[in-house]
Amino acid sequence: MPANLPPEYFEVEKTLRQARTAEEKIAIMEKLLSIIPRHKGTEKLVALYRSKIAKLKEEIERRPAAKKGQLFRVEKSGAGQVIVIGPPNAGKSAVIRALTGVEVEVADFPFTTRLAAPYMMPFENIKIQLIDTPPITADFMESWLVEMIKMAEAALVVLDSASPESSAQLEIIVNRLKKKKVELVSAETPIPPEKFPFMKRTLLVLNKSDLGEVNNLKEELEILFGRALETVAISALSLTGLEELRRRIFDLLQIVRVYSKVPGKKPDYESPFILKKGSNIMDLARQVHKDFAEKLNYARVWNKQGTITGLRVTRDYLLNDEDTVELHL
Ligand SMILES: Nc1nc2c(ncn2[C@@H]2O[C@H](COP(=O)(O)OP(=O)(O)OP(=O)(O)O)[C@@H](O)[C@H]2O)c(=O)[nH]1
Ligand SMILES: [Mg+2]
């Protein structure tokens, strides 16, 4: 019986020959499986791919632990690293493209993105690193993705607000990560340092708001997760909601920008020091120079609002976003 495979099958099958890693091969074969029509004539082909996928997965499992993530570790850069995850076709790559202006590959079929890739998103005077990733489904998640999520400072989960499956897909992702001991938490959740890899501040991005009401999905999510995770509605296509999203991503990082100035001179507003929220003058001094850390006498502070101007403070003074600080030895 002839297999009668659609042309798309052969297009995708070609890419299999160029695939180098086991992860890439699995992703392509999963895609082929989603294309192959199911009938008597394709039974053998389906079985063949299934067994190949199973073998590749075993191969990945046999890799030494240290090697598993190695190939896919993304060097950190900028003020913070935010990993973008989600179900297939939700628009993860499109959202990154809209936020960064970089030509990220976007396509109308699942499993378009097969490898992790970093992009820089400008936010006011800083840059935040966004990592595009392959999708997570009930039966597929790259073995190295969890390690990458653990290393990132925060996560975005992109969902298709027009799809009736989005809340179930989020549930699948949350549960898959939970099995790997990773918990997605809201932006304000305090995370003790030893919990850093296992608790990830997360924002839910309800994409494709141009296709209709996002409230249905919001309500479903609230029923399933309470208000544990915050949402922001955007459209990567009509470019709406992006400014709010950029600000919310910055908030998710829980960092402050601090300008250091020399007495009598203006601060450099283009290259702020980046510190964790809750940092004080002493933390800043350590970043500026070890001499300051050792010999700091006092500091003067100006705030963004202009309500604090040159106030003399001690080393335990808590810093706010966009404070200007003069360190005195
Ligand atoms: N209407 C509409 N379509 C969108 C929007 N964002 C993305 N899309 C479309 O959704 C499809 C999938 O977009 P991608 O960015 O490739 O999705 P992805 O989540 O990266 O998909 P994978 O890499 O396969 O996991 C493409 O056809 C996009 O053009 C949006 O805001 N509105
Ligand atoms: Mg993609």
Side-chain angles (χ1 to χ4, degrees), residues 92-93 105 112-113 132-133:
K92 300 177 290 302
S93 302
E105 193 188 357
T112 302
T113 306
D132 195 9
T133 65

Side-chain angles (χ1 to χ4, degrees), residues 77-115:
S77 164
Q81 187 184 70
V82 179
I83 192 156
V84 181
I85 59 174
N89 235 24
K92 300 177 290 302
S93 302
V95 169
I96 293 178
R97 181 167 75 179
L99 289 172
T100 63
V102 179
E103 270 311 309
V104 186
E105 193 188 357
V106 169
D108 192 20
F109 49 76
F111 293 94
T112 302
T113 306
R114 302 204 304 266
L115 292 171

